[in-house]
Amino acid sequence: MSEINNNNCVVTYLYPESKKSIKKFINCLEKQNFKKFDVLFFCDNFNLSNLNFKINLKYKSYNLSGTIPQIRQKSIKKLRFLNYKKIFFCDSDDLFKPNRIKILNKLLEKNKIVFNDIDCINKQKIVKKNFFSYFFNNNQKINYKNLYHQNFLGFSNTAFKSEILKKIKLPNLSKKIIIYDWYFWSKMLKKNKACFTNKTKTYYKTISSSYTCLPIKLTKKYLINSIFVKYNFYRSMRDEGKDYKKMYLNCYILYNNKMKLLKLIKTLILKEKNKYFSWWGGIEL
């Protein structure tokens, strides 16, 4: 295991399924044109010592267990006590432009949170280029209100200054927080703004059968699942202000009135089918 000695770290998560993508992922990190970072692997039932290739990066691994939200939160708590100044999230399923860490590192000199554009890809081709540029301009600043109805900040297109971690209250995970990144970044953006850049990108792996597939295709099945996610999200955020409380109450009504929900879904599919939505978008409450 390599010695840790940089001020910057790349954070990623490994699961048994990561065996399929980890070689390409590590190769992508090795090709970054900014080299001053360590890699922190948070592993759930994944043993790095079983790899049949060498990792030419400074890295350290931590074994964690639990649900995906629990593992995310445990890793965030761990990061609070490490001495890194800048933290870059990179999902091990995805790939990145060689300049990604360099661009985000530079932007963090004047911003506390940054997020980059994505290309949506499947196994064969790029499905949609520069997807988040449909929503934001280069260097545009956003806050938590931009995440009211859908999420744009994941664990594969973001970076931040570690100092702000000490200023947020992490949730009690006895609450049903299903989508941790939406909750985490909404909390982070309550007191901070995030800067968008289209000067680099994440190559986001999209699977048509997944609810996190981008671009979103509005279907009855997707929108029903989206209401379930939103109900738990707004319930977790309802103490963060009157807007969240209002959205929670509106969502609660839909969540418990199947006829009303299905009528709304039918209308949305007809009227909004050609509109772009990001993660969990489609229904505004």
Side-chain angles (χ1 to χ4, degrees), residues 80-210:
R80 274 180 162 174
F81 296 99
L82 299 177
N83 293 320
Y84 293 105
K85 294 181 180 180
K86 298 174 184 176
I87 298 170
F88 304 82
F89 283 118
C90 298
D91 197 306
S92 61
D93 285 343
D94 302 326
L95 300 174
F96 314 90
K97 283 193 74 173
N99 69 346
R100 180 172 178 256
I101 304 299
K102 182 178 181 179
I103 293 291
L104 298 190
N105 182 64
K106 183 70 175 177
L107 284 170
L108 283 174
E109 293 177 5
K110 295 183 178 180
N111 300 278
K112 292 184 177 179
I113 301 172
V114 294
F115 68 112
N116 59 265
D117 212 342
I118 67 171
D119 280 357
C120 306
I121 64 171
N122 59 25
K123 291 182 179 180
Q124 286 77 35
K125 62 180 180 179
I126 295 176
V127 178
K128 183 64 66 176
K129 285 188 175 183
N130 308 316
F131 183 61
F132 287 160
S133 288
Y134 286 96
F135 304 92
F136 307 111
N137 297 318
N138 190 49
N139 292 323
Q140 183 176 340
K141 306 290 179 65
I142 71 167
N143 64 18
Y144 68 98
K145 292 183 179 180
N146 295 91
L147 306 189
Y148 271 171
H149 305 295
Q150 55 191 329
N151 188 30
F152 301 94
L153 282 72
F155 275 55
S156 201
N157 73 319
T158 48
F160 67 99
K161 289 182 177 177
S162 63
E163 64 191 54
I164 64 176
L165 266 185
K166 298 176 182 178
K167 299 176 183 178
I168 69 162
K169 183 179 179 181
L170 294 173
N172 176 357
L173 286 185
S174 62
K175 297 179 181 179
K176 287 190 176 182
I177 296 174
I178 299 170
I179 307 300
Y180 189 82
D181 52 359
W182 193 10
Y183 180 91
F184 174 74
W185 290 116
S186 294
K187 293 280 283 187
M188 292 278 270
L189 293 185
K190 283 291 287 185
K191 295 182 179 180
N192 305 281
K193 290 186 177 181
C195 179
F196 173 71
T197 180
N198 62 14
K199 300 303 181 184
T200 190
K201 63 182 66 175
T202 296
Y203 299 108
Y204 177 70
K205 183 180 178 182
T206 182
I207 301 172
S208 59
S209 60
S210 172

Side-chain angles (χ1 to χ4, degrees), residues 226-258:
S226 179
I227 277 292
F228 174 70
V229 170
K230 285 174 183 285
Y231 172 73
N232 287 285
F233 171 69
Y234 295 134
R235 183 173 65 176
S236 300
M237 294 292 291
R238 60 185 167 177
D239 295 329
E240 296 291 334
K242 61 181 181 180
D243 287 345
Y244 283 115
K245 188 172 184 180
K246 180 181 177 181
M247 288 183 285
Y248 166 70
L249 292 174
N250 290 339
C251 195
Y252 179 85
I253 292 170
L254 277 178
Y255 189 72
N256 289 282
N257 189 328
K258 186 176 181 181

